[in-house]
Amino acid sequence: MKATLAPSSLISLPRHKVSSLRSPSLLLQSQRPSSALMTTTTAASRGSVAVTAAATSSVEALREGIAEFYNETSGLWEEIWGDHMHHGFYDPDSSVQLSDSGHREAQIRMIEESLRFAGVTEEEKKIKRVVDVGCGIGGSSRYIASKFGAECIGITLSPVQAKRANDLATAQSLSHKVSFQVADALEQPFEDGIFDLVWSMESGEHMPDKAKFVKELVRVAAPGGRIIIVTWCHRNLSQGEEALQPWEQNLLDRICKTFYLPAWCSTSDYVDLLQSLSLQDIKCADWSENVAPFWPAVIRTALTWKGLVSLLRSGMKSIKGALTMPLMIEGYKKGVIKFGIITCQKPL
Ligand code: SAH
């Protein structure tokens, strides 16, 4: 894999932002950085473009970890939660106890709300080609392809997911419209400027280089195309604040280890990146309140007899994942974790 430094041409931001873009928070994994990794990032923050072998191999280790994680856990998720591997969208403060199908509807609603927020629903005839970046087992792709009659290509790091996504497309007679492959979001196997909609639903949090991630999304978008990023973020830093509080970072680090996440960034970091690339109609929102019922529901399901048996059968990664879920709830409650949507349009 090539070096993962953010190209300096991408960045025309205030000084403290530039350093944060080149620091581990947007660049490298935070899974307890080794001292070699620390050396690399310190060098990077001094402006050096040298990336050590340790940093490169740590990015590769992250990719492998993500692939193995989803290879192992996707079957269990599908069995219990169906083909959407993302939060549901709920009315804030809704106290109604939903059934399983209610939660699945909330996951579909997440897709609909995201499209609506980005203004895509009014332009649906223009959506002919879609890329689903970090596609899971293809739930979004099949939904969007059916809704718009569009062609959709999904990419994931997990071969198990790509195969399952293709099998489901065949089973649903959609294989002429949608297809899935193993590919890296940071080096997408696509030409420039070909997708009317670039969709990333809960995959951005896995990307070790947010600047490169965004640059790739923009590269493959067609002129006038829409980009939608729905992702886990940390809270925006206040004016003058350089980093999260140590206890906040500690909480996120514990989540990172289990879910194979690199360092997090904020929604305003994404907005800054998009602005630096002169994207248009940049919008973002904090949907943390709208997703609040989700993790408690996943935990309740995991604690049923069926859930527990499936968890045990699925293996250690799933079990560790289940044990980490309460940390997600804590992160939202304490305002450290934010569920963000960021959208924009590529200029014509
Ligand atoms: N968007 C899907 C799945 C979300 S799970 C859904 O909503 O159902 C996160 C997905 O991101 C997984 O499929 C994982 O393989 C993918 N992913 C993480 N890092 C990636 C990368 N660098 N390149 C491609 N896919 C990646």
Side-chain angles (χ1 to χ4, degrees):
M1 178 133 176
K2 285 185 283 185
T4 57
L5 280 179
S8 53
S9 60
L10 279 183
I11 299 161
S12 54
L13 300 172
R15 233 176 93 74
H16 77 279
K17 287 287 179 193
V18 173
S19 78
S20 94
L21 284 171
R22 290 185 167 189
S23 79
S25 75
L26 284 186
L27 186 59
L28 292 165
Q29 15 183 355
S30 70
Q31 289 178 297
R32 289 273 151 244
S34 68
S35 52
L37 206 56
M38 292 302 283
T39 311
T40 305
T41 54
T42 311
S45 62
R46 276 194 232 110
S48 159
V49 287
V51 175
T52 65
T56 307
S57 71
S58 115
V59 171
E60 269 163 22
L62 176 67
R63 278 200 306 180
E64 277 166 29
I66 293 169
E68 282 163 17
F69 177 76
Y70 286 107
N71 283 346
E72 185 176 313
T73 60
S74 297
L76 169 68
W77 186 270
E78 186 187 353
E79 188 180 314
I80 308 226
W81 276 81
D83 60 350
H84 297 286
M85 307 180 75
H86 58 248
H87 286 68
F89 186 103
Y90 307 83
D91 291 323
D93 299 325
S94 134
S95 54
V96 186
Q97 196 71 281
L98 291 174
S99 61
D100 286 358
S101 65
H103 290 293
R104 288 184 190 207
E105 278 163 26
Q107 288 177 305
I108 300 280
R109 184 170 169 198
M110 174 61 74
I111 300 177
E112 285 290 347
E113 296 283 350
S114 302
L115 294 169
R116 187 169 310 124
F117 183 80
V120 172
T121 27
E122 296 95 64
E123 303 177 344
E124 48 191 79
K125 289 202 180 60
K126 293 191 205 149
I127 307 293
K128 303 247 181 288
R129 295 180 93 182
V130 181
V131 62
D132 183 356
V133 179
C135 61
I137 56 169
S140 294
S141 295
R142 287 185 298 275
Y143 184 83
I144 290 171
S146 305
K147 181 178 171 73
F148 295 147
E151 275 177 37
C152 198
I153 301 180
I155 57 172
T156 168
L157 291 180
S158 156
V160 170
Q161 286 190 329
K163 178 174 184 321
R164 181 67 185 144
N166 280 319
D167 288 350
L168 286 169
T170 305
Q172 294 170 21
S173 308
L174 279 171
S175 57
H176 61 297
K177 285 282 186 199
V178 295
S179 67
F180 302 91
Q181 56 188 275
V182 174
D184 190 345
L186 301 183
E187 291 177 15
Q188 296 181 32
F190 307 122
E191 288 164 40
D192 296 357
I194 54 172
F195 294 108
D196 309 308
L197 174 61
V198 177
W199 175 263
S200 166
M201 174 59 74
E202 295 195 34
S203 64
E205 56 269 26
H206 284 296
M207 306 300 163
D209 181 341
K210 307 299 187 211
K212 191 168 182 189
F213 169 55
V214 167
K215 200 179 172 206
E216 272 296 87
L217 301 183
V218 173
R219 182 183 68 76
V220 300
R226 294 268 169 189
I227 298 172
I228 302 180
I229 304 167
V230 181
T231 185
W232 308 3
C233 290
H234 68 59
R235 66 173 173 83
N236 290 332
L237 298 182
S238 336
Q239 191 79 32
E241 208 181 11
E242 291 287 325
L244 293 174
Q245 299 296 311
W247 71 265
E248 294 177 310
Q249 192 54 56
N250 187 275
L251 177 70
L252 297 188
D253 286 348
R254 287 158 69 204
I255 295 170
C256 287
K257 273 191 194 151
T258 309
F259 291 142
Y260 293 87
L261 304 175
W264 301 40
C265 69
S266 65
T267 44
S268 60
D269 288 328
Y270 273 110
V271 168
D272 290 343
L273 281 169
L274 294 172
Q275 280 171 347
S276 74
L277 294 169
S278 306
L279 276 297
Q280 293 175 339
D281 199 17
I282 301 171
K283 291 191 285 187
C284 74
D286 173 3
W287 282 354
S288 306
E289 281 187 23
N290 300 94
V291 300
F294 183 71
W295 287 104
V298 178
I299 291 176
R300 271 197 303 277
T301 322
L303 291 176
T304 60
W305 181 244
K306 181 182 169 201
L308 285 170
V309 170
S310 306
L311 251 185
L312 290 174
R313 270 209 317 257
S314 173
M316 268 321 283
K317 290 191 195 315
S318 300
I319 295 169
K320 279 192 191 158
L323 293 173
T324 304
M325 291 171 192
L327 296 179
M328 289 296 295
I329 297 176
E330 187 184 338
Y332 279 124
K333 280 204 174 133
K334 293 189 169 161
V336 188
I337 301 181
K338 297 288 177 185
F339 191 87
I341 176 163
I342 308 101
T343 71
C344 65
Q345 186 168 28
K346 186 165 169 177
L348 280 169

Short mmCIF file of all heavy atoms in Angstrom, two decimals, residues 63 66 70 83-86 132-137 139-140 155-158 161 183-186 201-203 206-207, ligand 1:
data_model
loop_
_atom_site.label_atom_id
_atom_site.label_comp_id
_atom_site.label_asym_id
_atom_site.label_seq_id
_atom_site.Cartn_x
_atom_site.Cartn_y
_atom_site.Cartn_z
N ARG A 63 -6.31 -3.04 7.59
CA ARG A 63 -7.16 -3.56 6.50
C ARG A 63 -7.47 -5.03 6.69
O ARG A 63 -8.60 -5.47 6.51
CB ARG A 63 -6.44 -3.37 5.15
CG ARG A 63 -6.61 -1.99 4.59
CD ARG A 63 -6.35 -1.96 3.12
NE ARG A 63 -5.06 -2.51 2.78
CZ ARG A 63 -4.59 -2.60 1.55
NH1 ARG A 63 -5.32 -2.19 0.55
NH2 ARG A 63 -3.40 -3.07 1.31
N ILE A 66 -9.93 -5.46 9.52
CA ILE A 66 -11.31 -5.11 9.13
C ILE A 66 -11.91 -6.27 8.31
O ILE A 66 -13.04 -6.70 8.55
CB ILE A 66 -11.32 -3.80 8.30
CG1 ILE A 66 -10.93 -2.61 9.18
CG2 ILE A 66 -12.69 -3.57 7.67
CD1 ILE A 66 -10.65 -1.32 8.41
N TYR A 70 -15.19 -8.50 9.51
CA TYR A 70 -16.46 -8.63 8.80
C TYR A 70 -16.66 -10.04 8.22
O TYR A 70 -17.79 -10.51 8.10
CB TYR A 70 -16.61 -7.54 7.74
CG TYR A 70 -16.90 -6.20 8.38
CD1 TYR A 70 -15.94 -5.20 8.45
CD2 TYR A 70 -18.13 -5.95 8.98
CE1 TYR A 70 -16.20 -3.99 9.07
CE2 TYR A 70 -18.41 -4.75 9.60
CZ TYR A 70 -17.43 -3.76 9.65
OH TYR A 70 -17.70 -2.58 10.28
N ASP A 83 -29.94 -7.36 6.34
CA ASP A 83 -28.83 -7.01 5.44
C ASP A 83 -28.33 -5.58 5.55
O ASP A 83 -27.46 -5.17 4.79
CB ASP A 83 -29.18 -7.37 3.99
CG ASP A 83 -30.40 -6.64 3.48
OD1 ASP A 83 -31.10 -6.01 4.30
OD2 ASP A 83 -30.67 -6.72 2.27
N HIS A 84 -28.85 -4.80 6.49
CA HIS A 84 -28.31 -3.44 6.68
C HIS A 84 -27.44 -3.42 7.94
O HIS A 84 -27.94 -3.67 9.04
CB HIS A 84 -29.45 -2.43 6.82
CG HIS A 84 -30.27 -2.33 5.57
ND1 HIS A 84 -29.81 -1.71 4.43
CD2 HIS A 84 -31.49 -2.82 5.27
CE1 HIS A 84 -30.72 -1.81 3.48
NE2 HIS A 84 -31.76 -2.48 3.96
N MET A 85 -26.17 -3.10 7.73
CA MET A 85 -25.24 -3.13 8.87
C MET A 85 -24.99 -1.69 9.34
O MET A 85 -23.84 -1.24 9.40
CB MET A 85 -23.94 -3.80 8.45
CG MET A 85 -24.20 -5.17 7.83
SD MET A 85 -22.69 -6.01 7.33
CE MET A 85 -22.08 -6.51 8.91
N HIS A 86 -26.08 -0.98 9.57
CA HIS A 86 -25.93 0.41 10.04
C HIS A 86 -27.04 0.75 11.03
O HIS A 86 -28.02 0.00 11.18
CB HIS A 86 -25.93 1.39 8.86
CG HIS A 86 -27.17 1.33 8.00
ND1 HIS A 86 -27.16 0.86 6.71
CD2 HIS A 86 -28.45 1.66 8.24
CE1 HIS A 86 -28.37 0.93 6.19
NE2 HIS A 86 -29.19 1.42 7.12
N ASP A 132 -21.17 2.25 -3.83
CA ASP A 132 -21.46 2.05 -2.40
C ASP A 132 -20.11 1.69 -1.74
O ASP A 132 -19.62 0.57 -1.84
CB ASP A 132 -22.48 0.91 -2.29
CG ASP A 132 -22.92 0.63 -0.86
OD1 ASP A 132 -22.39 1.27 0.07
OD2 ASP A 132 -23.80 -0.24 -0.68
N VAL A 133 -19.53 2.69 -1.10
CA VAL A 133 -18.15 2.55 -0.59
C VAL A 133 -18.20 1.98 0.83
O VAL A 133 -18.63 2.67 1.76
CB VAL A 133 -17.45 3.92 -0.62
CG1 VAL A 133 -16.03 3.80 -0.07
CG2 VAL A 133 -17.43 4.48 -2.04
N GLY A 134 -17.75 0.75 0.98
CA GLY A 134 -17.89 0.07 2.28
C GLY A 134 -19.29 -0.50 2.36
O GLY A 134 -20.11 -0.10 3.19
N CYS A 135 -19.56 -1.47 1.46
CA CYS A 135 -20.96 -1.85 1.15
C CYS A 135 -21.55 -2.90 2.08
O CYS A 135 -22.73 -3.22 1.96
CB CYS A 135 -21.05 -2.35 -0.29
SG CYS A 135 -20.01 -3.81 -0.56
N GLY A 136 -20.74 -3.50 2.99
CA GLY A 136 -21.28 -4.56 3.81
C GLY A 136 -21.77 -5.70 2.93
O GLY A 136 -21.08 -6.11 1.98
N ILE A 137 -22.96 -6.20 3.21
CA ILE A 137 -23.51 -7.25 2.33
C ILE A 137 -24.52 -6.66 1.34
O ILE A 137 -25.39 -7.34 0.82
CB ILE A 137 -24.11 -8.43 3.14
CG1 ILE A 137 -25.18 -7.97 4.12
CG2 ILE A 137 -23.00 -9.18 3.88
CD1 ILE A 137 -25.97 -9.13 4.74
N GLY A 139 -26.86 -4.13 1.39
CA GLY A 139 -28.24 -3.70 1.65
C GLY A 139 -28.56 -2.36 1.01
O GLY A 139 -29.58 -2.21 0.33
N SER A 140 -27.67 -1.39 1.19
CA SER A 140 -27.93 -0.05 0.61
C SER A 140 -27.95 -0.12 -0.91
O SER A 140 -28.82 0.48 -1.56
CB SER A 140 -26.84 0.95 1.02
OG SER A 140 -26.84 1.21 2.39
N ILE A 155 -18.18 -1.81 -2.90
CA ILE A 155 -16.86 -2.33 -2.55
C ILE A 155 -16.75 -2.52 -1.03
O ILE A 155 -17.30 -1.75 -0.25
CB ILE A 155 -15.70 -1.44 -3.06
CG1 ILE A 155 -15.79 0.01 -2.55
CG2 ILE A 155 -15.63 -1.45 -4.58
CD1 ILE A 155 -14.57 0.87 -2.88
N THR A 156 -16.04 -3.58 -0.68
CA THR A 156 -15.82 -3.91 0.73
C THR A 156 -14.44 -4.56 0.85
O THR A 156 -13.92 -5.07 -0.16
CB THR A 156 -16.89 -4.91 1.23
OG1 THR A 156 -16.50 -5.44 2.50
CG2 THR A 156 -17.09 -6.09 0.29
N LEU A 157 -13.88 -4.56 2.04
CA LEU A 157 -12.61 -5.27 2.24
C LEU A 157 -12.83 -6.75 2.49
O LEU A 157 -11.89 -7.54 2.46
CB LEU A 157 -11.85 -4.66 3.42
CG LEU A 157 -11.29 -3.25 3.22
CD1 LEU A 157 -10.58 -2.79 4.49
CD2 LEU A 157 -10.34 -3.18 2.04
N SER A 158 -14.06 -7.14 2.77
CA SER A 158 -14.32 -8.52 3.20
C SER A 158 -14.79 -9.40 2.03
O SER A 158 -15.88 -9.18 1.48
CB SER A 158 -15.40 -8.49 4.30
OG SER A 158 -16.07 -9.72 4.36
N GLN A 161 -18.24 -10.83 2.66
CA GLN A 161 -19.33 -9.88 2.40
C GLN A 161 -19.59 -9.74 0.90
O GLN A 161 -20.75 -9.74 0.46
CB GLN A 161 -19.00 -8.51 2.98
CG GLN A 161 -19.09 -8.41 4.48
CD GLN A 161 -18.97 -6.98 4.98
OE1 GLN A 161 -18.29 -6.14 4.37
NE2 GLN A 161 -19.62 -6.69 6.09
N ALA A 183 -12.41 -4.34 -2.71
CA ALA A 183 -11.52 -3.24 -3.14
C ALA A 183 -11.40 -2.26 -1.98
O ALA A 183 -12.24 -2.22 -1.09
CB ALA A 183 -12.10 -2.52 -4.36
N ASP A 184 -10.32 -1.48 -2.04
CA ASP A 184 -10.04 -0.53 -0.97
C ASP A 184 -10.62 0.84 -1.32
O ASP A 184 -10.34 1.38 -2.41
CB ASP A 184 -8.51 -0.43 -0.79
CG ASP A 184 -8.12 0.35 0.46
OD1 ASP A 184 -8.99 1.04 1.03
OD2 ASP A 184 -6.95 0.27 0.86
N ALA A 185 -11.38 1.39 -0.40
CA ALA A 185 -11.97 2.71 -0.60
C ALA A 185 -10.91 3.79 -0.84
O ALA A 185 -11.19 4.82 -1.45
CB ALA A 185 -12.79 3.09 0.63
N LEU A 186 -9.70 3.54 -0.36
CA LEU A 186 -8.65 4.55 -0.48
C LEU A 186 -7.93 4.45 -1.83
O LEU A 186 -7.13 5.32 -2.18
CB LEU A 186 -7.63 4.42 0.65
CG LEU A 186 -8.21 4.58 2.06
CD1 LEU A 186 -7.10 4.51 3.11
CD2 LEU A 186 -8.96 5.89 2.20
N MET A 201 -22.01 4.64 3.74
CA MET A 201 -22.83 4.49 4.94
C MET A 201 -22.04 3.74 6.01
O MET A 201 -21.79 2.53 5.90
CB MET A 201 -24.12 3.74 4.58
CG MET A 201 -25.04 3.36 5.74
SD MET A 201 -25.64 4.76 6.71
CE MET A 201 -26.84 5.49 5.62
N GLU A 202 -21.61 4.45 7.02
CA GLU A 202 -20.90 3.86 8.17
C GLU A 202 -19.67 3.04 7.74
O GLU A 202 -19.48 1.92 8.20
CB GLU A 202 -21.86 3.04 9.04
CG GLU A 202 -22.91 3.92 9.68
CD GLU A 202 -23.67 3.26 10.81
OE1 GLU A 202 -23.08 2.46 11.55
OE2 GLU A 202 -24.87 3.57 10.95
N SER A 203 -18.89 3.62 6.85
CA SER A 203 -17.59 3.01 6.55
C SER A 203 -16.45 4.00 6.81
O SER A 203 -15.32 3.58 7.07
CB SER A 203 -17.53 2.50 5.10
OG SER A 203 -17.65 3.56 4.18
N HIS A 206 -13.78 3.62 9.49
CA HIS A 206 -12.70 2.63 9.34
C HIS A 206 -11.49 3.18 8.58
O HIS A 206 -10.48 2.50 8.47
CB HIS A 206 -13.20 1.42 8.56
CG HIS A 206 -14.07 0.48 9.34
ND1 HIS A 206 -13.62 -0.23 10.42
CD2 HIS A 206 -15.37 0.13 9.18
CE1 HIS A 206 -14.61 -0.98 10.90
NE2 HIS A 206 -15.69 -0.78 10.18
N MET A 207 -11.62 4.37 8.01
CA MET A 207 -10.57 4.83 7.08
C MET A 207 -9.41 5.47 7.83
O MET A 207 -9.60 6.44 8.57
CB MET A 207 -11.14 5.85 6.07
CG MET A 207 -12.34 5.34 5.31
SD MET A 207 -11.96 3.85 4.36
CE MET A 207 -13.64 3.26 4.04
N1 SAH B 1 -22.50 0.30 4.40
C1 SAH B 1 -22.86 -1.01 4.84
C2 SAH B 1 -21.83 -1.67 5.76
C3 SAH B 1 -21.29 -0.88 6.93
S1 SAH B 1 -20.09 -1.86 7.83
C4 SAH B 1 -24.24 -0.98 5.43
O1 SAH B 1 -24.72 0.09 5.79
O2 SAH B 1 -24.86 -2.05 5.54
C5 SAH B 1 -18.55 -1.15 7.28
C6 SAH B 1 -18.12 -1.59 5.89
O3 SAH B 1 -17.00 -0.79 5.50
C7 SAH B 1 -17.68 -3.04 5.75
O4 SAH B 1 -18.25 -3.58 4.60
C8 SAH B 1 -16.16 -2.93 5.53
O5 SAH B 1 -15.58 -3.96 4.75
C9 SAH B 1 -16.09 -1.62 4.80
N2 SAH B 1 -14.76 -1.00 4.79
C10 SAH B 1 -14.03 -0.59 5.85
N3 SAH B 1 -12.86 -0.09 5.42
C11 SAH B 1 -12.86 -0.18 4.07
C12 SAH B 1 -11.93 0.16 3.04
N4 SAH B 1 -10.76 0.71 3.31
N5 SAH B 1 -12.27 -0.08 1.77
C13 SAH B 1 -13.47 -0.65 1.45
N6 SAH B 1 -14.38 -0.99 2.38
C14 SAH B 1 -14.08 -0.76 3.66
#
